[in-house]
Amino acid sequence: MSTLILALAAGAVIGLALGALGGGGSVLAVPALIYLLGFTPAAATTASLIIVTATSATALYAHATSGNVRWKTGALFAAVGIPPAIAAAALASRVPEALLTAAFAVIALLAALALFKAPPPDRQPRAVRPARAAGAGVGLGAVTGFLGVGGGFLAVPALVSVLGLRMRAAVGTSLLVITVNSLAALVARAGTHTPLNWAVIAPFTGAAILGAWDGKRLAAKISGPALQRAFASVLLAVAALMVTDALH
């Protein structure tokens, strides 16, 4: 299968997940770039940030037009996540590739476990608690900067369980956080001079953006738990592959 077709297919799947679930799909970007498209771990995490930033911004617009974004909560999450995202992005360029792969495998496993859990029933939103929101935002920013993932699989559960947002609002708001954190981490990596294959990144990103629009429509037709279980199963397989690779 040609590189272009692989890039388009992987991008479509990742965009679909981001648009439908507000997270989870971006975790697939790095392993897809490494194992399907031949990127090094360092180049893959940087390229993933480009893809995730563009796709999340597109999905954010789609959800914002439906009123699913809580801007105050998302802005707080994003603001406190920017410094750790920048610091972690700078650190990632100095970490051995085997360690980076192992760390990513752990995150993929955690993402899968989080997605396997059915979303809690909708509840009335609570007032934003700055300390709790800030703590979650810091952790999310660090994960985004270090591993090049959006972190929506962490943001959505936090927005639901810690801040009491309804599931649809949590998905939409998480996309605001992902967009800002990914952009901050990308800016931090701009001076690392990591070689990037734009002939792969461009079609990958384009397919992901189109997939995000389809994911928004898919979320209205298929139950959230069913989508989550499907993507969680894929993430478990990815985590197993990356653990095996790191050990060797």
Side-chain angles (χ1 to χ4, degrees):
M1 189 179 295
S2 72
T3 299
L4 176 60
I5 294 175
L6 284 173
L8 291 171
V13 170
I14 288 159
L16 194 70
L18 272 169
L21 301 174
S26 60
V27 183
L28 295 175
V30 170
L33 290 165
I34 293 173
Y35 297 111
L36 294 180
L37 299 167
F39 281 53
T40 65
T45 53
T46 300
S48 175
L49 287 170
I50 297 170
I51 296 162
V52 170
T53 300
T55 309
S56 297
T58 301
L60 171 63
Y61 175 78
H63 280 269
T65 57
S66 300
N68 293 333
V69 181
R70 300 296 176 264
W71 296 99
K72 179 181 177 181
T73 301
L76 176 60
F77 255 69
V80 299
I82 290 174
I86 293 174
L91 176 63
S93 63
R94 300 178 175 85
V95 173
E97 292 190 348
L99 180 58
L100 198 61
T101 301
F104 200 95
V106 172
I107 290 298
L109 177 60
L110 292 176
L113 294 176
L115 287 170
F116 267 125
K117 295 181 179 179
D122 284 344
R123 67 187 78 174
Q124 290 298 321
R126 295 194 295 266
V128 175
R129 296 183 180 182
R132 299 178 75 179
V138 167
L140 183 62
V143 169
T144 299
F146 189 66
L147 295 177
V149 300
F153 66 92
L154 297 174
V156 172
L159 290 166
V160 172
S161 61
V162 176
L163 300 177
L165 293 187
R166 300 184 181 212
M167 191 64 187
R168 289 185 184 277
V171 168
T173 305
S174 77
L175 290 165
L176 171 61
V177 181
I178 293 168
T179 301
V180 174
N181 283 349
S182 298
L183 183 60
L186 185 59
V187 169
R189 293 190 185 210
T192 61
H193 305 294
T194 302
L196 297 174
N197 186 351
W198 287 101
V200 172
I201 296 173
F204 197 123
T205 304
I209 289 173
L210 292 175
W213 283 101
D214 290 334
K216 171 64 170 56
R217 290 191 290 268
L218 185 64
K221 298 178 181 179
I222 300 178
S223 70
L227 285 171
Q228 289 183 203
R229 285 192 295 270
F231 283 112
S233 298
V234 175
L235 282 176
L236 281 179
V238 168
L241 174 65
M242 298 191 82
V243 166
T244 302
D245 185 44
L247 291 176
H248 288 81

